[in-house]
Amino acid sequence: MRVLLLSDIHANLEAMEACLAVAPPCDAIVNLGDIVGYGASPNEVTERSRRLGGLFVRGNHDKACSGVTSYEGFNPIAGIAVLWTRTMLRPELTKWLYDLPQGPRTLEELPGVRFVHGSPHDEDEYLLALDEAAHAMDGADAPVIFFGHTHVQGGFLLGNGRDSAILRPAYRTKDDKELFNYQLLPGRRYLINPGSIGQPRDGDWRAAFAIFDSEARRVTYIRVPYDVAGAQKRIREAQLPERLAGRLGMGR
């Protein structure tokens, strides 16, 4: 089974369309959350996500922008974007985001796999370090967990002691479409992050997503150039904070 893994689109229509344009045919689509927030195309991206269908996990920005939670705890720039998004979202799309389910979620065809936004125990937890990943996997009921939230493509291999490692795809450039295949080993546990489509924070400006082939036990990480200038123009025209536009060109 081949699963298309999308995460952290953050209302960036240009990045989303670039990813979908090159994504191969898959048997299932999983969206790991944060469809909205930060970017200037919340209606377009939410509607496109809804039409794509598949399995959804809510993100913290989806919760804040739809009113499930407040924006307390968000940094000031993120809070401004939440308030703007709330005023812009069409009511039926706000309701759809409000009803998105909390992770972990499962696909019937993949009993050993879970899908979350933050971590298996806390949907808002950031997993950035190996010890955090090991703690998150304590008591987890599946050896493979796909997560988002950090905007960092890669993940964690959790083996027996010294073979545990942080995973990062090794690309040749930061300009073109590129693929990086990673083989999952038997007897190991994995936390896999497909990366952020709409606002990468791993130093690579290109939109990020991934494909999981369950039969081959392979994750294919993908980076795609997109119309960053177009996304930045929308943000500036919406009079959102300049920081939200500038960071897209840096991948930070």
Side-chain angles (χ1 to χ4, degrees):
M1 182 178 188
R2 278 158 54 98
V3 181
L4 173 61
L5 297 157
L6 311 175
S7 191
D8 297 279
I9 304 170
H10 281 293
N12 187 333
L13 182 63
E14 287 77 10
M16 182 182 190
E17 293 294 0
C19 291
L20 294 178
V22 302
C26 289
D27 304 300
I29 300 172
V30 176
N31 189 313
L32 299 175
D34 277 358
I35 293 168
V36 295
Y38 296 132
S41 302
N43 287 306
E44 297 89 341
V45 167
T46 304
E47 182 58 42
R48 187 82 165 91
S49 299
R50 184 169 70 166
R51 282 191 282 112
L52 271 177
L55 185 81
F56 291 89
V57 180
R58 71 185 185 185
N60 55 310
H61 285 260
D62 302 324
K63 292 189 296 180
C65 290
S66 64
V68 174
T69 60
S70 75
Y71 58 91
E72 291 181 11
F74 281 53
N75 67 60
I77 290 175
I80 290 169
V82 167
L83 291 174
W84 180 88
T85 301
R86 287 181 178 181
T87 67
M88 297 302 296
L89 275 171
R90 301 201 307 268
E92 72 273 17
L93 297 179
T94 299
K95 176 65 164 55
W96 184 79
L97 289 168
Y98 186 96
D99 290 336
L100 288 178
Q102 180 178 352
R105 300 208 67 202
T106 62
L107 287 170
E108 183 178 348
E109 301 89 342
L110 299 175
V113 177
R114 301 290 180 267
F115 303 96
V116 304
H117 181 65
S119 85
H121 306 303
D122 182 349
E123 62 183 332
D124 297 331
E125 181 181 6
Y126 287 93
L127 300 179
L128 293 166
L130 194 56
D131 60 340
E132 294 168 345
H135 182 265
M137 285 296 279
D138 285 346
D141 61 353
V144 178
I145 295 175
F146 291 95
F147 72 105
H149 197 39
T150 66
H151 301 206
V152 177
Q153 192 179 54
F156 303 93
L157 159 64
L158 298 167
N160 299 312
R162 288 182 294 177
D163 61 350
S164 294
I166 295 175
L167 309 179
R168 293 288 182 268
Y171 297 114
R172 295 183 302 277
T173 75
K174 291 185 180 179
D175 300 312
D176 302 317
K177 174 193 170 186
E178 288 191 71
L179 312 179
F180 183 88
N181 289 312
Y182 184 81
Q183 190 68 41
L184 303 188
L185 301 173
R188 305 299 198 277
R189 297 177 298 157
Y190 292 92
L191 282 155
I192 301 291
N193 191 325
S196 171
I197 289 179
Q199 194 182 102
R201 294 181 186 164
D202 51 11
D204 189 330
W205 65 274
R206 295 171 295 179
F209 68 103
I211 307 291
F212 174 53
D213 187 325
S214 62
E215 292 186 11
R217 288 188 59 79
R218 182 177 61 243
V219 175
T220 301
Y221 295 106
I222 305 172
R223 298 306 281 244
V224 185
Y226 73 97
D227 181 11
V228 171
Q232 291 172 324
K233 183 173 183 287
R234 287 180 189 261
I235 289 171
R236 289 169 178 140
E237 288 178 345
Q239 298 184 346
L240 285 161
E242 172 60 28
R243 169 69 172 152
L244 297 177
R247 73 186 310 170
L248 294 181
M250 301 180 291
R252 292 291 182 190

